[in-house]
Amino acid sequence: MSFKFVKYIKSDNKAKNESQSLKTIFQQASKSSDFHQFSPFKERDTIIISYYKSLVDTKIINYLLIPNIQEHFEKIKEPSDIKNLIPFDEVLVTSDPIEVEKKLTKGYVIIHFKGSETQEILTINIQDDNLGYRTNNETENEFSVIGPKVGFVESIAVNIHLLRKRMADTKLVFEEIKIGSLSKSEIVIAYLDGITNPQYIETVRQRLNDINFDVVFDSSQLEQIISDNSNTPFPIFLSTERIDRVVYAMISGQVAILSNGSPYIVTGPSTLLDFFVSPEDYYLSWILGSFFRIIRIFSVLFSMFSTAIYVAILTFHYEVIPNDLLEPLISSRAHVPFPPVIEAIFLEITIELLREAGARLPTKIGQTLGIVGGIVIGQASVQAALTSNILLIIVSLSALASFTTPIYKMSNAIRLLRFPFILAAATLGGFGIIIVFALLLSHLLKLKSLGNPYMVPLFPFRVKDFKDSFIRSSYQLTTNRSKFLRPLLPSRYTPSQDKDDKNDDWS
């Protein structure tokens, strides 16, 4: 079925190419109020200038383009003559109407001769790349106390500029691809030539070229379309708005995907442990960075299993409760009419409602709602005997633990996984938790990112790649890139001479 659909699209485009003409293009464009077409000479309208006012910088047209054409009008016999007289670098002379239509909708100015037999058309790039985009590019969703605060914006030209400023090397390569039958979205593949494995570059290039989509709104759509497995709650590619994270991924041998209109950059191939790494780990000492990274990993495990273990113990495994905890548990649940699974799901859904409402409301109102709503609902639930004090503490800690994940998409996956564990614990107790965990582990072992195993360095087991996984080792030990990425240049840098040896030279 898909083959017939693609074939139909191609034949339709072919028919469009044959029937398209410059006249029909301008007739269609003139239906829009922002389309402008005029001649710079009132008495002689041989030269016609056409453009969309909403896409171009009209000051350049009025103060640079038109005066140059009027000054050298006697020398202009055909559109190619204008190319040699105007001070613009991106000027193209073409006779293809389809190319003219593409350029017109991308912010180019079209110049043609009225009644010309040569049908040569001049396209000039005068688009305003920053028009309508925000200038504030702080990393709001991936904030760090230490380190740079500069992030990406919705303009792909600005994002390329930011990456080029950070990595001043000719090895940094940007490849442009057009995607979207209606949007003609500009997609850029970024990588370091001579470092990134060509297999990853070719895989990304092929998957992007195979996309048949109408409008690409955000890089998150590309992430789902080119994913190795879309039937998973886990993000296969790492999506970030931080420049330093993208730079680190590229110097490690990964590929970055930029999408025009999106402030998030997609990098891959990614592993599960990449989503628990914060750029702040590298700005602190390796001891502190490793400690906080381990805290995040244990927080995720606590967030997934804590509520489910509570439900399993109170439903099936009373014998594991210490004697000192029996009295507080009994008094806490003495007046609760619901089984543990009902009160657990009630509190979990309440937390999710508060979290979603706080995220959708304005910042100040959302913060107030989260704090006040959590206190009021929690206290009222305990007083109304709808839930126990102990479970309220566990669910609250579980929600806080899920926030320690640096990447928002991985945090969402962890939030979702708590519910299957709770239901399994209520049905089969501890054995149900083990079954769900085994299914989850087998699912993770089968996942791949650009053909690379998702659980590296745990599976396949890579001892040398543990230097920057669960812990962040000293810079003296992380001189080589991760081997599972198969970089063409294994070494990142050469560590300096030992400081003790330098001090000895001064003695």
Side-chain angles (χ1 to χ4, degrees):
M1 181 64 69
S2 60
F3 174 77
K4 293 182 179 179
F5 177 74
V6 174
K7 186 176 181 181
Y8 171 76
I9 292 293
K10 290 183 178 180
S11 63
D12 182 67
N13 288 336
K14 184 178 179 180
K16 181 180 178 182
N17 291 345
E18 293 175 352
S19 61
Q20 191 74 292
S21 66
L22 189 63
K23 183 179 179 181
T24 56
I25 291 173
F26 289 148
Q27 285 178 349
Q28 179 65 33
S30 62
K31 297 179 181 179
S32 299
S33 58
D34 61 335
F35 179 72
H36 189 45
Q37 189 176 58
F38 71 100
S39 174
F41 309 98
K42 295 182 179 179
E43 65 280 1
R44 295 172 292 179
D45 57 347
T46 55
I47 298 179
I48 306 297
I49 300 177
S50 309
Y51 59 89
Y52 282 106
K53 292 184 290 184
S54 58
L55 296 177
V56 304
D57 190 342
T58 54
K59 292 182 179 179
I60 297 179
I61 297 175
N62 296 330
Y63 296 108
L64 194 59
L65 177 63
I66 296 177
N68 273 276
I69 294 177
Q70 292 174 339
E71 182 180 356
H72 304 93
F73 176 71
E74 301 298 335
K75 300 178 182 178
I76 299 175
K77 304 300 181 183
E78 53 186 16
S80 57
D81 296 334
I82 302 178
K83 181 179 180 180
N84 302 322
L85 297 174
I86 57 177
F88 296 97
D89 56 348
E90 196 170 345
V91 182
L92 174 67
V93 179
T94 181
S95 58
D96 184 8
I98 301 301
E99 183 69 22
V100 172
E101 183 183 22
K102 290 180 181 178
K103 298 294 185 182
L104 181 64
T105 55
K106 286 298 181 181
Y108 282 62
V109 171
I110 309 299
I111 300 178
H112 73 283
F113 274 53
K114 187 176 182 180
S116 175
E117 296 180 357
T118 59
Q119 293 298 323
E120 284 189 346
I121 306 166
L122 193 72
T123 63
I124 309 171
N125 185 7
I126 312 183
Q127 59 182 321
D128 192 349
D129 292 328
N130 297 322
L131 183 64
Y133 291 118
R134 62 186 173 104
T135 56
N136 181 20
N137 58 338
E138 294 185 359
T139 53
E140 299 178 356
N141 298 321
E142 296 180 63
F143 182 81
S144 63
V145 179
I146 303 175
K149 309 296 188 294
V150 181
F152 295 106
V153 295
E154 285 78 6
S155 173
I156 196 169
V158 175
N159 294 340
I160 292 175
H161 164 77
L162 293 172
L163 287 176
R164 184 69 73 180
K165 289 282 289 185
R166 186 60 63 92
M167 291 186 289
D169 199 308
T170 55
K171 292 186 180 68
L172 180 58
V173 178
F174 296 100
E175 292 185 14
E176 181 180 336
I177 299 175
K178 298 291 184 180
I179 295 177
S181 58
L182 293 178
S183 63
K184 303 295 190 300
S185 300
E186 185 179 356
I187 310 299
V188 171
I189 305 173
Y191 59 90
L192 290 175
D193 191 26
I195 295 178
T196 307
N197 193 299
Q199 181 179 349
Y200 298 137
I201 302 171
E202 181 60 31
T203 301
V204 172
R205 187 186 297 126
Q206 180 181 354
R207 291 185 183 182
L208 289 175
N209 285 323
D210 289 342
I211 294 177
N212 189 2
F213 214 65
D214 50 0
V215 177
V216 177
F217 295 99
D218 190 78
S219 59
S220 299
Q221 287 182 300
L222 298 177
E223 177 186 351
Q224 298 176 54
I225 296 173
I226 68 174
S227 175
D228 297 62
N229 185 356
S230 59
N231 300 319
T232 177
F234 294 95
I236 301 298
F237 297 95
L238 194 147
S239 180
T240 179
E241 62 178 351
R242 294 186 63 97
I243 299 176
D244 51 355
R245 187 185 284 273
V246 173
V247 170
Y248 183 79
M250 294 177 66
I251 64 176
S252 299
Q254 298 182 10
V255 182
I257 304 173
L258 294 75
S259 176
N260 197 27
S262 174
Y264 283 86
I265 309 300
V266 177
T267 61
S270 301
T271 65
L272 179 66
L273 294 177
D274 288 342
F275 296 91
F276 304 107
V277 174
S278 172
E280 206 168 20
D281 297 345
Y282 302 96
Y283 304 137
L284 299 170
S285 67
W286 72 270
I287 299 175
L288 291 175
S290 300
F291 172 74
F292 291 130
R293 188 176 295 183
I294 293 173
I295 288 293
R296 282 193 292 271
I297 295 174
F298 276 106
S299 297
V300 169
L301 296 176
F302 177 82
S303 178
M304 289 173 55
F305 293 107
S306 57
T307 308
I309 291 175
Y310 172 86
V311 173
I313 289 176
L314 291 189
T315 307
F316 293 97
H317 311 293
Y318 282 103
E319 68 278 2
V320 303
I321 303 176
N323 294 330
D324 296 336
L325 289 178
L326 276 175
E327 183 178 352
L329 277 173
I330 293 173
S331 61
S332 177
R333 284 191 46 81
H335 303 289
V336 177
F338 306 112
V341 62
I342 298 299
E343 60 172 333
I345 291 179
F346 168 74
L347 282 180
E348 289 286 356
I349 293 178
T350 302
I351 291 292
E352 295 302 322
L353 290 175
L354 288 172
R355 191 187 332 230
E356 284 297 312
R360 301 294 175 264
L361 290 172
T363 305
K364 295 181 179 179
I365 301 177
Q367 291 176 352
T368 305
L369 175 68
I371 297 173
V372 177
I375 295 174
V376 171
I377 295 176
Q379 185 67 23
S381 300
V382 173
Q383 291 181 353
L386 295 177
T387 183
S388 63
N389 289 320
I390 295 178
L391 180 60
L392 181 62
I393 295 172
I394 292 175
V395 172
S396 300
L397 290 176
S398 177
L400 287 175
S402 66
F403 285 121
T404 61
T405 309
I407 303 300
Y408 179 71
K409 291 184 178 180
M410 180 57 73
S411 177
N412 290 339
I414 294 167
R415 290 160 54 186
L416 174 65
L417 289 175
R418 290 206 296 264
F419 291 95
F421 277 106
I422 292 173
L423 295 176
T427 305
L428 299 173
F431 183 64
I433 296 177
I434 295 174
I435 292 176
V436 174
F437 178 73
L439 294 174
L440 176 63
L441 187 61
S442 63
H443 175 71
L444 288 172
L445 291 175
K446 292 191 297 182
L447 289 180
K448 292 185 178 181
S449 178
L450 293 180
N452 199 61
Y454 194 62
M455 291 290 288
V456 174
L458 296 173
F459 177 81
F461 193 72
R462 298 286 186 267
V463 178
K464 294 184 178 180
D465 290 335
F466 274 88
K467 296 178 181 178
D468 192 11
S469 55
F470 291 100
I471 63 171
R472 200 277 284 180
S473 301
S474 170
Y475 286 120
Q476 301 292 326
L477 301 177
T478 57
T479 58
N480 294 328
R481 296 179 173 87
S482 300
K483 287 189 175 181
F484 69 85
L485 291 172
R486 294 175 292 166
L488 301 183
L489 188 62
S491 178
R492 290 177 54 199
Y493 54 86
T494 303
S496 59
Q497 186 182 4
D498 189 75
K499 294 182 178 61
D500 294 335
D501 295 340
K502 292 183 178 180
N503 294 334
D504 292 341
D505 295 340
W506 288 96
S507 58

